[in-house]
Amino acid sequence: MLLPPFRRKTAPIDASVERSDDTSVETSVDVPRALDTAAAFSWRLIVVAAALALVGFLVVRLADVVVPFLVALILSALLVPLSAFLQRHRWPKWIAIVASLVVVLVVLGTLVLVVTAQIRYDLPMLEERTRQTVRSAQALLANHPFGLTPQKIDQYVTDATNYLQRHSSSFASGFRSAGDSAVHALEGVFIVVFTTLFALIDGGRIWAFVVGLFPRAARRRIGVAGAAGWRTLTSFIRVQLIVAVTDAIGIGVGAAALGIPLAVPIAAIVFIGAFVPVVGAIVGGIVAVAIALVFNGWGVALGMLGIVVFMQQLESHVLHPLLTGSVVKVHPLGIVLGVAAGTSVAGIAGAFFAVPFIATVNAMVLAAVRSPATDAASSAASGAASSPAHDATSSGHGGVQS
């Protein structure tokens, strides 16, 4: 018996399937649109995550270069507007740059001099109070439930000395690594100084070169994003400087009024810690209260705690809403999580750079998304006009170009 010829059934062709050379395209599997969209997003997210992981790996491996470069970038965000301000008032370019650098050196030198003088002035009193604190601690430990008699303390000291002697080679290797760290620190200072200097001298051309590395169609968006990120970074640094000075003066004056030693070093610690939002202020407050507790007792420590809490409330409810709210458009939860993530990845450096990095990237992404895509109108010159040194070039004196 003859069978009828076999005819293959084909699925209906979707109109969205592209055709090439006017030939039909057969589809054997009908993939749901939601799954197709999810798969498209998934592989793109995997590629982006892999690229970010590669960047993070390179940053960690090149930390000795990246961290000084970021420090120089933040320092430039503070000095470029100052140099541009001086140039707008008809200062010659090189004098404005030198004056900006001299201001930084004078401020740092004055801070170190005042802290050193305060420590030397309080040193005799610190020695006496330290002896009293040690005697009080020994008397407390000698009683129950501790029961640490002088004989037991001497035995502990002997055991610790023997331990140090047995592990002297390990400590020697640690000292060698400390020497290597000192060399890396000097290299970092060199990178910071020269990066800041070139950012002040030729920041516009450097940014134009960076923008020129991208495809022509993306240069305008890159320029707009860079300008937005630079404005956010400079504004953030200025705001944090105001907040840090306010916290340092408030807590330092409070410590001096309560008779706490090392009031100026406490203010310096609070000033530095204020550049790490949320976490830095807490650490600075803990240091101030701990010094008051050790050298002045519980009553003065509670008074210092009240001053720290008052300054934290002033910062949280007055300074940050008025100053930071319009600059760092990131939720406080994002700031806390960012600081925690930065600390876990890169320690103190990660905590320091977390918030300016989040704020700058957020501003750059929003500016790039809102910027219309252009093809012919984009060029390296537009990127230079939006460069990090635009504050100086806008004055008409070529503040960042030679």
Side-chain angles (χ1 to χ4, degrees):
M1 183 178 62
L2 297 176
L3 296 177
F6 176 75
R7 294 183 178 179
R8 182 180 179 182
K9 294 183 179 180
T10 59
I13 299 175
D14 191 355
S16 62
V17 178
E18 295 183 358
R19 293 177 173 85
S20 61
D21 298 332
D22 297 329
T23 59
S24 299
V25 179
E26 296 181 355
T27 58
S28 59
V29 179
D30 187 11
V31 179
R33 183 179 297 274
L35 181 59
D36 184 56
T37 303
F41 272 103
S42 297
W43 75 259
R44 287 175 171 85
L45 288 176
I46 291 174
V47 172
V48 172
L52 292 178
L54 178 60
V55 171
F57 174 77
L58 293 177
V59 168
V60 172
R61 294 291 296 178
L62 301 175
D64 293 336
V65 177
V66 174
V67 172
F69 174 77
L70 294 178
V71 172
L73 190 63
I74 291 180
L75 188 59
S76 300
L78 186 63
L79 294 183
V80 167
L82 176 60
S83 176
F85 173 79
L86 296 178
Q87 292 178 56
R88 285 195 299 269
H89 288 75
R90 302 185 182 278
W91 285 47
K93 177 182 175 180
W94 67 274
I95 295 181
I97 293 174
V98 171
S100 302
L101 296 175
V102 168
V103 167
V104 174
L105 294 177
V106 168
V107 171
L108 293 179
T110 303
L111 183 62
V112 172
L113 181 62
V114 172
V115 169
T116 304
Q118 175 80 50
I119 293 175
R120 292 184 60 185
Y121 177 78
D122 289 341
L123 188 59
M125 180 178 60
L126 291 176
E127 292 177 351
E128 178 61 28
R129 291 189 180 183
T130 301
R131 285 193 291 267
Q132 294 177 0
T133 303
V134 170
R135 287 194 295 267
S136 301
Q138 289 177 345
L140 177 64
L141 294 175
N143 297 324
H144 293 288
F146 302 102
L148 294 179
T149 61
Q151 293 77 14
K152 290 184 178 180
I153 295 176
D154 293 338
Q155 182 62 39
Y156 293 149
V157 171
T158 303
D159 294 340
T161 304
N162 294 332
Y163 176 83
L164 293 176
Q165 291 176 351
R166 289 194 304 269
H167 297 81
S168 58
S169 59
S170 301
F171 289 102
S173 62
F175 287 132
R176 284 194 297 268
S177 2
D180 295 337
S181 300
V183 173
H184 290 310
L186 293 177
E187 294 175 352
V189 172
F190 179 83
I191 294 173
V192 168
V193 171
F194 275 85
T195 303
T196 305
L197 186 62
F198 282 113
L200 290 170
I201 295 174
D202 213 14
R205 293 181 181 178
I206 296 174
W207 179 245
F209 172 77
V210 173
V211 173
L213 297 177
F214 291 88
R216 183 176 296 273
R219 290 176 187 172
R220 179 171 178 78
R221 278 189 171 178
I222 296 297
V224 171
W230 182 253
R231 286 194 300 270
T232 300
L233 182 61
T234 54
S235 301
F236 173 80
I237 296 301
R238 286 197 294 265
V239 167
Q240 285 303 120
L241 184 62
I242 295 174
V243 172
V245 170
T246 303
D247 288 346
I249 291 177
I251 294 179
V253 171
L258 292 175
I260 300 174
L262 305 177
V264 176
I266 289 174
I269 293 173
V270 172
F271 175 80
I272 296 173
F275 285 94
V276 182
V278 182
V279 178
I282 295 176
V283 173
I286 291 175
V287 171
V289 175
I291 293 176
L293 178 62
V294 171
F295 294 107
N296 296 84
W298 287 98
V300 178
L302 291 176
M304 189 72 250
L305 178 61
I307 294 174
V308 170
V309 171
F310 172 77
M311 294 304 302
Q312 294 303 313
Q313 295 301 313
L314 178 66
E315 175 184 343
S316 301
H317 298 285
V318 178
L319 296 179
H320 279 304
L322 291 178
L323 302 176
T324 312
S326 60
V327 176
V328 183
K329 299 179 180 179
V330 181
H331 195 275
L333 178 61
I335 293 177
V336 174
L337 294 178
V339 172
T343 304
S344 63
V345 173
I348 298 176
F352 180 78
F353 293 116
V355 178
F357 176 78
I358 292 172
T360 303
V361 170
N362 179 63
M364 294 178 69
V365 171
L366 292 179
V369 170
R370 294 169 182 171
S371 175
T374 59
D375 295 328
S378 59
S379 62
S382 65
S386 303
S387 67
H390 176 61
D391 293 332
T393 58
S394 61
S395 62
H397 299 290
V400 292
Q401 296 182 357
S402 57

